[in-house]
Amino acid sequence: MAESSSSDSVSVDVETIYLGGKEHIVRTGRGSVSVIVYGDKEKPALVTYPDLALNHVSCFQGLFFCPEAATLLLHNFCIYHISPPGHELGAAAICPDDPVLSVDDLTDQIIEVLNYFRLGAVMCMGVTAGAYILSMFAMKYRERVLGLILVSPLCRTPSWTEWFCNKVMSNLLYYYGMCSLLKECLLYRYFSKEVRGSAEVPESDIVQACRRLLDERQSLNVFRFLQAINRRPDITEGLKTLKCRTLIFVGENSPFYDEALHMTARLDRRYCALVEVQACGSMVTEEQPHAMLIPLEYFLMGYGMYRPSQFTGSPRSPLSPTCISPELLSPESMGLKLKPIKTRI
């Protein structure tokens, strides 16, 4: 399973234990990367990558604080949370003289991180911009990816609407930093209007927490990641070459809903399933993490992975087909009434 490191440019400078995980600052040929490691390193690896201006706390905490999902994932995986450059907790501003990394550079950082930790093939989970980076990584290094779990993913060049929104955010970041208007743009990107609130309804706790965490971001670092994402190429054609299983979640109120449908249509239908979460924005991991549990369980059963036996409601028999059965992902099978899920195979 493990492979030896192929790059001498990778080293660990700092190890800090917090929030139950250990932070490794890993030097790569394209700059330093923060990786938070949770769990038993003898287990298979699950690599996560967050969306713009987020890190593992603001993007995946809701999912990992959901007891059933945390049990499922930590029972089967060692978690490696990779942050985009300068997005980790307490990050300093990146030197303005450092070159702006492209999405290709960011995928190459991931392979160096995997090589440092001597990881073979890994499971990948990414949200929006992070889902794009991991999809590109899976296309570029197919033998290093077991499967993809993508949340509101991107795969095409920015639409005119996204390009305009990104341009506005770039100007705000450059001239005003992490100002109130910029945070509103980002919260619109992440969450549905139901949790963002209105004049009559206060915004939810998860939005308030995200707003506070955005205050900690270095605006220059976010600006650089946004530049890379705004210049991304269309990877639609390359999706046809992917043979790993792919599970896609998208909130029906996500600005990237059509993008997820487009991506699903281009992937090999034998290996792909789409879960549409109703009354939810892009960041399903934070807004409705419970809606991810049953699809994740059935997806991981295809790899022989289960929740521990003390959870009596957990499935017990592995799946024999090479994809997820539509019947298994139906709202009725999931038992979801308050937050129903539509699926496409």
Side-chain angles (χ1 to χ4, degrees), residues 50-54 127-130 132 152 154 162 165-166 169 182-192 196 225-226 229-230 232 253-256 281-283 287:
D51 191 20
L52 175 72
L54 302 176
V127 177
T128 311
Y132 176 91
S152 304
L154 308 172
E162 187 196 346
C165 189
N166 289 349
M169 289 196 294
L182 174 66
K183 283 187 278 189
E184 293 304 323
C185 292
L186 288 169
L187 293 173
Y188 170 81
R189 175 188 178 97
Y190 305 148
F191 298 110
S192 68
R196 292 201 314 274
F225 188 29
L226 179 56
I229 293 301
N230 209 32
R232 68 182 185 267
N253 296 330
S254 168
F256 309 108
S282 298
M283 200 158 40
E287 191 169 343

Side-chain angles (χ1 to χ4, degrees), residues 159-230:
S159 64
W160 281 110
T161 303
E162 187 196 346
W163 180 89
F164 178 76
C165 189
N166 289 349
K167 193 68 174 176
V168 170
M169 289 196 294
S170 294
N171 288 334
L172 290 171
L173 283 163
Y174 188 82
Y175 291 107
Y176 302 103
M178 192 58 72
C179 61
S180 296
L181 181 55
L182 174 66
K183 283 187 278 189
E184 293 304 323
C185 292
L186 288 169
L187 293 173
Y188 170 81
R189 175 188 178 97
Y190 305 148
F191 298 110
S192 68
K193 61 183 178 181
E194 284 82 1
V195 295
R196 292 201 314 274
S198 63
E200 296 79 25
V201 182
E203 63 185 20
S204 70
D205 291 344
I206 58 169
V207 175
Q208 292 178 22
C210 187
R211 189 186 294 277
R212 289 192 296 270
L213 289 167
L214 288 174
D215 284 330
E216 301 174 8
R217 297 282 75 76
Q218 294 284 349
S219 55
L220 176 62
N221 302 355
V222 178
F223 176 79
R224 294 163 71 93
F225 188 29
L226 179 56
Q227 280 186 302
I229 293 301
N230 209 32

Side-chain angles (χ1 to χ4, degrees), residues 69-336:
T71 302
L72 173 67
L73 296 173
L74 290 172
H75 177 71
N76 290 291
F77 295 104
C78 181
I79 316 298
Y80 295 79
H81 291 300
I82 300 178
S83 291
H87 281 53
E88 65 272 16
L89 294 171
I94 298 173
C95 177
D97 295 331
D98 288 353
V100 176
L101 299 182
S102 67
V103 288
D104 259 317
D105 295 327
L106 295 173
T107 60
D108 290 339
Q109 280 187 332
I110 295 173
I111 194 65
E112 290 193 67
V113 168
L114 264 57
N115 287 341
Y116 171 76
F117 288 107
R118 299 186 177 183
L119 303 175
V122 301
M123 187 70 70
C124 295
M125 178 188 292
V127 177
T128 311
Y132 176 91
I133 297 296
L134 292 176
S135 298
M136 176 177 267
F137 175 77
M139 289 163 41
K140 198 170 182 179
Y141 302 99
R142 286 194 290 272
E143 72 285 356
R144 303 298 289 272
V145 177
L146 286 172
L148 289 169
I149 303 165
L150 307 176
V151 181
S152 304
L154 308 172
C155 66
R156 294 178 287 190
T157 55
S159 64
W160 281 110
T161 303
E162 187 196 346
W163 180 89
F164 178 76
C165 189
N166 289 349
K167 193 68 174 176
V168 170
M169 289 196 294
S170 294
N171 288 334
L172 290 171
L173 283 163
Y174 188 82
Y175 291 107
Y176 302 103
M178 192 58 72
C179 61
S180 296
L181 181 55
L182 174 66
K183 283 187 278 189
E184 293 304 323
C185 292
L186 288 169
L187 293 173
Y188 170 81
R189 175 188 178 97
Y190 305 148
F191 298 110
S192 68
K193 61 183 178 181
E194 284 82 1
V195 295
R196 292 201 314 274
S198 63
E200 296 79 25
V201 182
E203 63 185 20
S204 70
D205 291 344
I206 58 169
V207 175
Q208 292 178 22
C210 187
R211 189 186 294 277
R212 289 192 296 270
L213 289 167
L214 288 174
D215 284 330
E216 301 174 8
R217 297 282 75 76
Q218 294 284 349
S219 55
L220 176 62
N221 302 355
V222 178
F223 176 79
R224 294 163 71 93
F225 188 29
L226 179 56
Q227 280 186 302
I229 293 301
N230 209 32
R231 296 170 181 169
R232 68 182 185 267
D234 189 324
I235 59 172
T236 299
E237 289 304 311
L239 295 174
K240 299 174 183 177
T241 67
L242 288 179
K243 298 302 179 188
C244 64
R245 298 183 186 184
T246 304
L247 178 60
I248 297 177
F249 294 91
V250 65
E252 66 172 5
N253 296 330
S254 168
F256 309 108
Y257 176 81
D258 289 339
E259 191 80 3
L261 298 188
H262 172 82
M263 185 173 188
T264 305
R266 298 304 185 275
L267 287 165
D268 190 325
R269 293 177 179 234
R270 294 173 296 169
Y271 307 115
C272 175
L274 172 65
V275 179
E276 300 175 43
V277 184
Q278 295 182 356
C280 188
S282 298
M283 200 158 40
V284 185
T285 51
E286 291 295 310
E287 191 169 343
Q288 292 197 27
H290 286 86
M292 299 179 66
L293 177 61
I294 302 299
L296 280 174
E297 281 205 77
Y298 282 114
F299 180 71
L300 295 178
M301 282 169 65
Y303 298 88
M305 297 178 178
Y306 311 94
R307 278 197 284 167
S309 57
Q310 62 262 35
F311 288 85
T312 56
S314 180
R316 287 287 161 262
S317 301
L319 292 177
S320 55
T322 56
C323 71
I324 302 173
S325 166
E327 292 76 19
L328 293 178
L329 288 181
S330 67
E332 294 78 12
S333 293
M334 294 177 191
L336 294 171

